[in-house]
Amino acid sequence: MSQLQMKKALLEGLRQICPCLDGTDELQVHETDWRGRHFANALGVTLPTTVEEVSQIVKFCRLRNIAIVAQGGNTGLCAGAVPVSGQSRWQLILSMRRMNHIRQVDPLTDSLTVEAGALLQDVQAAAQQVGRLFPLSLGAEGSCTIGGNISTNAGGNAVLRYGNTRDLVLGLEVVLASGEIWHGLRALRKDNAGYDLKHLFIGSEGTLGIVTAATLKLFPPLRQVDTALLALPSYTAALSLLKALQTQESLPLTAFELMSAESISLVREQFPQRLFPLDDKLKTYVLVEAGWSSRPQGDVFEQALERIWEVCDVQDGVVAKSEAHAASLWEWRELITEAQLRAGPHLKHDISLPAFCIPEFIEQTDAGLYSRFPGLRVINFGHLGDGNLHYNISVESVISEMDLQAMQAEIENFIYGQVCAMNGSFSAEHGIGQTKTQHLRHYRSATELSLMALLKRSLDPEALFNPGKVIIEHVESVGLI
Ligand code: FAD
Ligand code: MLT
Ligand code: ZN
């Protein structure tokens, strides 16, 4: 049988289970990552609507040695949801987007059960409809799925108050590599009956199982949310401001986001019609948000800011006067990712550090990069309240994509070397995908790597799920790459 005939037969077999796309045009968007940097051919894109269909697809692929790449909204920033090139076997994209129902919202237990392909913003809306809050929030919330959030253990803008996705999950339903379904949709707040299996799958980036549904924690809604954009003379001042705000009585901070002056300049260049509300010559900007589940007496937020304004050396600032005003301030933060994409060649470094090291890290790393690599622009922003910087790189127009690719390894090694020396992590919230597998090998100990490989081997002995992502030693050792 020719390759083409074999492909046709496989697709026909898959279509006995559920619809499957295979046209070149319709596949391309699923085969290319969000940044448009990684592309590899897939056998097709299968579109199940039930957990039973997912189970049948897994069994079908297992019998025929077809790899499965789970995909949600494909907004991941490490190319984990697209096939990898150089594989000797077919890779099937399993899109969860049609499996998107809210199964149950239960205000009594403050929980919500949802299928993995639901958009994050639809999960937020379902919680809001019953007077509750699902607090996970990130720039891609209109297109990422809850299954993708769980599989990457997404962070986002409200980690400071509510934790990472891992902290918001009560139970999971997962299809295992055997095709068996694990029914773990429990809504209990306490459950120490053996190992907590859901945590194996949370953050495993589709390498250990296919998440088909989740039971999530709900919270009281926020009756009042206050937002301010402030300018500061240094990163040290920004961190002192964070500490000062955290020690203010009755100021429940939900977000503390950083934007360097260079990040703001990039947004202004790419979106020239936008008017920045503060003096744009200052060093660094922070977006501060506090939320109350019962309305406070008086103007607590502005009063708190006034008390610390001078002590913390705040140089300029604006407090949002309405929800629309707050949204327009947030846009300066959320547009940075899009601005980098529009500006062309760029690198992403999603790092975390102990908070007290951050000013020194930025000073030393900026200086090292600017002296060694003329033409780079450090676009530093992110979740400062969590010690998580998106210490990204864009370039002056004299540097091409090819130039940057030639420098990439040296730049990354320099940045990650600094991170490692300060006991930080080279991957704070985006995961490993296919772009950071070599860094995982380098920066995790032999003990950690062999434990990860052992887990992979135990749960997915034939390396069916997402080969070439996260931990690849096992896949190599069984000769499947
Ligand atoms: P995908 O990209 O489709 O998949 C991501 C990984 O999960 C892949 O490895 C995939 O195989 C696996 N996967 C997906 N669904 C399943 C499933 N059902 N079962 C098993 N495996 C699965 N991330 C943050 O953490 N914080 C941010 O603040 C943030 N901001 C962003 C802003 C923008 C503008 C963009 C484009 C991205 C941002 N991201 C952020 C990254 C991304 O949105 C998150 O990683 C998100 O959780 C991915 O969800 P997704 O549905 O798009 O997953
Ligand atoms: C964000 O927080 O906006 C994204 O996680 C960062 C990025 O685009 O690098
Ligand atoms: Zn982020």
Side-chain angles (χ1 to χ4, degrees):
M1 214 194 267
S2 73
Q3 276 282 87
L4 205 66
Q5 286 168 321
M6 181 127 67
K7 182 175 175 183
K8 223 172 138 213
L10 291 174
L11 288 166
E12 263 166 34
L14 284 163
R15 287 199 178 105
Q16 303 294 313
I17 306 172
C18 65
C20 187
L21 310 175
D22 73 329
T24 317
D25 290 347
E26 50 190 7
L27 282 199
Q28 206 172 9
V29 58
H30 295 276
E31 293 171 327
T32 313
D33 78 309
W34 188 85
R35 294 170 66 203
R37 287 170 75 103
H38 295 268
F39 170 89
N41 288 122
L43 169 65
V45 178
T46 184
L47 297 159
T49 47
T50 65
V51 60
E52 289 78 18
E53 286 177 358
V54 175
S55 159
Q56 284 178 51
I57 293 165
V58 171
K59 287 177 182 161
F60 180 96
C61 290
R62 189 174 166 219
L63 278 176
R64 293 159 184 83
N65 192 26
I66 301 169
I68 297 175
V69 181
Q71 190 174 88
N74 196 15
T75 67
L77 297 173
C78 300
V82 295
V84 280
S85 40
Q87 291 275 309
S88 58
R89 55 183 169 161
W90 288 111
Q91 296 167 80
L92 175 71
I93 296 175
L94 195 163
S95 169
M96 296 303 292
R97 288 300 313 281
R98 290 201 323 154
M99 210 177 150
N100 58 8
H101 292 104
I102 308 282
R103 290 193 188 159
Q104 196 192 12
V105 191
D106 185 359
L108 259 183
T109 57
D110 279 323
S111 70
L112 177 155
T113 298
V114 61
E115 292 178 348
L119 294 181
L120 173 55
Q121 75 177 16
D122 293 342
V123 178
Q124 295 165 343
Q128 202 179 4
Q129 268 171 21
V130 297
R132 297 289 186 277
L133 172 76
F134 182 63
L136 182 65
S137 165
L138 43 127
E141 63 199 23
S143 40
C144 64
T145 63
I146 194 68
N149 303 146
I150 290 167
S151 303
T152 56
N153 184 27
N157 301 330
V159 173
L160 191 58
R161 170 99 163 256
Y162 298 100
N164 292 294
T165 302
R166 188 181 293 288
D167 303 300
L168 306 174
V169 177
L170 292 168
L172 286 184
E173 177 186 88
V174 179
V175 174
L176 308 175
S178 59
E180 195 183 335
I181 302 167
W182 172 46
H183 297 281
L185 289 175
R186 302 183 183 98
L188 302 171
R189 302 287 162 153
K190 280 189 154 185
D191 186 1
N192 275 348
Y195 302 132
D196 198 339
L197 298 175
K198 63 180 178 289
H199 287 299
L200 290 177
F201 300 100
I202 301 171
S204 70
E205 302 182 55
T207 62
L208 300 181
I210 308 294
V211 175
T212 50
T215 298
L216 306 168
K217 277 184 202 170
L218 300 182
F219 293 80
L222 297 178
R223 308 262 176 230
Q224 181 171 318
V225 176
D226 287 317
T227 310
L229 178 64
L230 307 175
L232 294 135
S234 66
Y235 293 100
T236 308
L239 283 167
S240 320
L241 175 69
L242 172 64
K243 271 275 158 293
L245 289 170
Q246 282 175 324
T247 47
Q248 292 283 308
E249 240 172 69
S250 63
L251 191 72
L253 273 191
T254 48
F256 193 85
E257 295 286 310
L258 168 80
M259 291 154 282
S260 68
E262 193 68 358
S263 311
I264 297 294
S265 298
L266 190 78
V267 176
R268 296 188 64 180
E269 286 158 29
Q270 296 302 321
F271 300 91
Q273 72 286 4
R274 301 188 64 86
L275 213 61
F276 189 59
L278 304 185
D279 178 352
D280 64 353
K281 304 282 177 302
L282 300 172
K283 173 98 180 160
T284 187
Y285 302 87
V286 292
L287 198 61
V288 180
E289 192 186 83
W292 284 265
S293 43
S294 50
R295 277 184 207 288
Q297 292 286 319
D299 219 338
V300 185
F301 187 65
E302 286 203 38
Q303 284 163 10
L305 288 181
E306 273 163 25
R307 275 197 298 276
I308 54 169
W309 195 272
E310 273 178 30
V311 191
C312 294
D313 213 1
V314 180
Q315 295 181 319
D316 196 4
V318 55
V319 176
K321 295 287 171 236
S322 64
E323 256 183 59
H325 189 192
S328 78
L329 297 182
W330 267 102
E331 274 172 11
W332 286 97
R333 162 67 182 86
E334 298 299 8
L335 283 172
I336 303 173
T337 299
E338 181 65 31
Q340 278 208 284
L341 192 68
R342 289 190 186 196
H346 65 279
L347 302 174
K348 285 187 182 288
H349 307 102
D350 162 42
I351 60 173
S352 65
L353 290 156
F356 68 91
C357 297
I358 287 176
E360 193 187 343
F361 168 84
I362 297 172
E363 195 185 319
Q364 287 181 4
T365 316
D366 279 6
L369 286 174
Y370 285 128
S371 65
R372 285 184 207 196
F373 305 98
L376 293 194
R377 297 176 71 180
V378 176
I379 305 297
N380 183 19
F381 65 102
H383 317 288
L384 186 62
D386 314 324
N388 175 190
L389 302 179
H390 298 307
Y391 190 82
N392 292 352
I393 304 290
S394 283
V395 291
E396 305 290 351
S397 55
V398 288
I399 300 205
S400 69
E401 178 70 49
M402 262 178 46
D403 294 335
L404 188 61
Q405 275 178 27
M407 295 186 270
Q408 179 169 352
E410 217 183 318
I411 293 172
E412 279 178 358
N413 290 340
F414 176 65
I415 295 173
Y416 294 152
Q418 296 276 110
V419 169
C420 183
M422 294 184 180
N423 295 318
S425 169
F426 69 94
S427 176
E429 62 170 9
H430 296 159
I432 302 298
Q434 60 177 290
T435 59
K436 294 185 186 158
T437 51
Q438 78 282 23
H439 300 303
L440 186 72
R441 275 189 207 205
H442 189 77
Y443 293 106
R444 283 295 182 254
S445 69
T447 308
E448 287 165 318
L449 290 171
S450 62
L451 269 177
M452 289 187 210
L454 189 63
L455 268 177
K456 172 74 179 168
R457 208 172 304 138
S458 311
L459 292 179
D460 182 18
E462 283 139 312
L464 192 69
F465 291 142
N466 229 353
K469 317 285 168 55
V470 189
I471 182 93
I472 55 179
E473 278 81 353
H474 159 55
V475 189
E476 281 170 350
S477 72
V478 292
L480 292 171
I481 276 190

